[in-house]
Amino acid sequence: MSNMPTRITCASLNFQGLKKILTPSGQSLAWHIRSLSYDIIAFQETYADSFDLHDRFATCLQVQFSAWTRHCGLISYNPAFEIKPEWAALDGCLLMAHVTHQQQLCTDLSVYVLYTPATENDHPAFFRALHLLLHFDHAPGRRSVFLGDFNYNIHTLSTRDDDMNR
């Protein structure tokens, strides 16, 4: 494998329903997403609850590779970077995939796409489950990145934050 560095540009977008890109009025949004100059884009709140929608999103966005759950998506516009979905958990709120370079110019990258439920009361249980999953079952490797919507406001202090640390 070459020591030549290969840069992967990434973005993370929350769409609160990606289905809008499939409508005539949503075509400008689809065009805008396609015009972004990122290799990899992670989506949250996709509401992609069927394989048919996964295929329609990939076609509309004109992606090279993609992986979907009902809450998350990961797409590649760069034909050199293939997305290989590995697993999903937490009711589709966590998607894990490997990004590999077609010519093996760089080491694989593990990408975790996370969508934390918006309801603040659900956060402690969700983050506990995430911690247990990643700590005991699927510990991230050295070349890993988390992209997503953590639905957390760092400027809001609450007693719930203390509850999460227990």
Side-chain angles (χ1 to χ4, degrees), residues 13 22 27 43 54 72 137 148-149 158 163:
L13 305 169
L22 302 175
Q27 289 303 303
F43 294 104
H54 301 174
C72 301
D137 297 328
D149 182 349
S158 76
D163 292 341

Side-chain angles (χ1 to χ4, degrees), residues 2 6 8 10 17 22 37 43 45-46 48 52 57 75-76 86-87 94 97 105 109 119 122 130 137-138 145 161-162:
S2 172
T6 299
I8 302 174
C10 301
L22 302 175
S37 57
F43 294 104
E45 279 195 274
T46 59
D52 177 59
F57 290 160
I75 64 171
S76 171
E86 293 294 323
W87 52 268
L94 179 63
L105 295 179
L109 177 67
T119 306
D122 294 337
L130 177 64
D137 297 328
H138 299 284
V145 63
D161 293 334
D162 294 332

Side-chain angles (χ1 to χ4, degrees), residues 94-115:
L94 179 63
L95 167 66
M96 190 279 185
H98 286 109
V99 176
T100 62
H101 193 279
Q102 296 285 18
Q103 288 79 38
Q104 298 181 338
L105 295 179
C106 63
T107 306
D108 291 359
L109 177 67
S110 298
V111 178
Y112 295 78
V113 183
L114 177 74
Y115 169 66

Side-chain angles (χ1 to χ4, degrees), residues 21-91:
I21 67 168
L22 302 175
T23 66
S25 61
Q27 289 303 303
S28 62
L29 178 58
W31 178 87
H32 178 71
I33 295 168
R34 288 191 305 267
S35 73
L36 299 173
S37 57
Y38 294 101
D39 297 313
I40 304 291
I41 300 177
F43 294 104
Q44 302 81 47
E45 279 195 274
T46 59
Y47 304 123
D49 51 8
S50 72
F51 292 118
D52 177 59
L53 275 176
H54 301 174
D55 292 340
R56 291 174 63 200
F57 290 160
T59 300
C60 182
L61 293 170
Q62 301 173 5
V63 302
Q64 296 292 321
F65 302 99
S66 64
W68 303 92
T69 70
R70 66 188 211 162
H71 296 291
C72 301
L74 187 65
I75 64 171
S76 171
Y77 281 114
N78 187 330
F81 294 115
E82 181 179 356
I83 293 173
K84 296 180 178 179
E86 293 294 323
W87 52 268
L90 303 175
D91 195 29

